[in-house]
Amino acid sequence: MAFTAKDVQTLRERTGCGMMDCKKALTESNGDMDKAIEFLREKGLAAAAKKAGRIAAEGVVYAVVDESKKVGVVIEINSETDFVAKNSEFMAFVDACAKTVIEKNPADVDALLNCTAANSSETIADMLREKILVIGENMKIRRFARFEGEVLTYIHGGGRIGVMVNFETSADIASKAEFKEFAKDIAMQVAAANPLYLNKEQVPADVIEKEKEILTAQAINEGKPANIAEKMVMGRISKYYKEFCLVDQEFIKDNELSVAKYVEKTAAALGGSIAIKQFVRFEKGEGIEKREDNFADEVANMIK
């Protein structure tokens, strides 16, 4: 499989490695991006690359909670330019989509498009078509998540990152101001530290196996004997959990505590029980490739 200069650039963006190292990795892996990342990691040149790419697309991540129904939604809707995301008509459409997800509980984006919008006689698909015509830009409902129960949402950077966390608590705790403050801390932790899993039990076995393979190759390339390499790998796997599992992460506001210990400490202080059930984190445009027009071509197109 051949590769292009753009592939080299993408690999650089995903790993932070130099151009020559990226070229060599793509050559060795026959142009396969995932294998090239593995190659760079085995050589100790790249840290663990998260699945989401760094190339951004415009639009907004938005969240809303219906306290009476105890339902929360976080949704991402994309547009071609950042300017549209500040448009009041666009934001009203985003809000209508989120409230329709709360009300109708659609299974996916296609089902949402077919729903009659909350407080409207139009379908979401019709509203979307109308907004595209009026605003003059392509728009797309990309994804959403909906949780029921004790839910807290947090939006960072004016819609760049949206987080929703679902908690299980004793009945007498959820209404306390201290719990709301704690819940916001957890949501901010998710926004800042970007965990991939709730706990180590959620990490798929094949992910850990692949990680062990890469780490073993790293240790052997460092000249370590097999028995030492094995111990190093186990230590590094433990480090992997601390980096990517929310409850094992160091709590950002107090690095003396893990997130699990912070949950335990708060529950004891409030005289009840608290557990984090699930969370979701959307970052605007993650993994979407933004159109890159050559400036000369753009001018030529305008003249035409």
Side-chain angles (χ1 to χ4, degrees):
M1 187 197 299
F3 61 89
T4 64
K6 192 170 182 185
D7 293 330
V8 176
Q9 180 62 26
T10 300
L11 187 57
R12 286 188 73 191
E13 285 173 351
R14 289 184 65 180
T15 63
C17 293
M19 188 177 288
M20 295 313 293
D21 289 325
C22 290
K23 273 188 171 179
K24 186 177 179 187
L26 284 163
T27 303
E28 292 289 333
S29 61
N30 202 22
D32 185 301
M33 190 66 65
D34 289 335
K35 285 182 181 171
I37 291 170
E38 280 181 30
F39 175 87
L40 289 167
R41 289 190 61 208
E42 285 172 3
K43 297 295 177 191
L45 297 169
K50 293 183 180 179
K51 288 181 181 177
R54 296 185 186 178
I55 304 166
E58 302 307 335
V60 71
V61 179
Y62 180 78
V64 66
V65 176
D66 186 320
E67 296 289 355
S68 63
K69 292 179 179 173
K70 289 204 171 293
V71 178
V73 165
V74 62
I75 189 166
E76 179 183 359
I77 300 184
N78 300 120
S79 59
E80 288 180 52
T81 65
D82 185 47
F83 178 74
V84 167
K86 297 175 175 69
N87 178 297
S88 59
E89 282 205 37
F90 174 76
M91 289 310 299
F93 171 66
V94 173
D95 183 65
C97 288
K99 285 174 178 170
T100 305
V101 172
I102 284 177
E103 194 179 285
K104 305 289 174 68
N105 193 14
D108 53 28
V109 171
D110 286 339
L112 172 60
L113 287 166
N114 289 319
C115 286
T116 301
N119 305 314
S120 172
S121 57
E122 287 185 284
T123 65
I124 292 290
D126 289 338
M127 287 178 81
L128 177 59
R129 276 190 289 272
E130 182 197 348
K131 292 292 174 280
I132 290 169
L133 284 169
V134 170
I135 295 171
E137 272 197 27
N138 191 25
M139 296 170 209
K140 186 176 181 183
I141 302 169
R142 187 181 182 203
R143 54 185 172 166
F144 62 81
R146 180 184 187 275
F147 292 161
E148 296 182 4
E150 293 304 333
V151 177
L152 183 124
T153 60
Y154 170 70
I155 295 292
H156 178 78
R160 187 172 69 81
I161 295 171
V163 172
M164 181 165 58
V165 189
N166 193 190
F167 299 92
E168 199 168 295
T169 71
S170 315
D172 55 330
I173 282 185
S175 59
K176 292 183 178 178
E178 297 91 337
F179 172 76
K180 301 291 183 194
E181 194 58 39
F182 154 82
K184 187 179 178 186
D185 283 344
I186 298 297
M188 289 173 76
Q189 172 87 22
V190 172
N194 195 7
L196 300 180
Y197 310 98
L198 175 59
N199 51 40
K200 59 182 72 173
E201 289 74 29
Q202 282 192 0
V203 184
D206 61 327
V207 169
I208 292 300
E209 281 312 306
K210 179 58 72 179
E211 207 58 27
K212 283 180 180 174
E213 277 176 37
I214 291 166
L215 294 171
T216 301
Q218 271 182 13
I220 289 166
N221 286 335
E222 288 166 14
K224 302 290 189 292
N227 62 325
I228 301 295
E230 191 178 337
K231 285 180 184 172
M232 283 176 67
V233 166
M234 293 321 291
R236 287 174 182 178
I237 287 293
S238 176
K239 200 173 168 187
Y240 179 90
Y241 290 138
K242 285 180 181 173
E243 186 174 354
F244 294 113
C245 297
L246 174 59
V247 297
D248 293 313
Q249 284 181 337
E250 189 178 277
F251 179 43
I252 285 172
K253 279 192 166 183
D254 181 354
N255 58 19
E256 297 293 313
L257 296 173
S258 66
V259 170
K261 288 289 181 192
Y262 176 54
V263 173
E264 201 178 291
K265 185 179 173 185
T266 304
L270 294 178
S273 63
I274 304 172
I276 303 168
K277 282 176 70 178
Q278 55 188 336
F279 69 88
V280 65
R281 179 188 188 275
F282 290 167
E283 187 160 348
K284 180 181 73 175
E286 60 191 346
I288 298 177
E289 188 160 350
K290 200 173 169 184
R291 191 183 69 187
E292 291 180 15
D293 288 336
N294 177 287
F295 182 66
D297 291 344
E298 192 177 318
V299 173
N301 288 334
M302 285 169 72
I303 293 166
K304 282 175 192 172

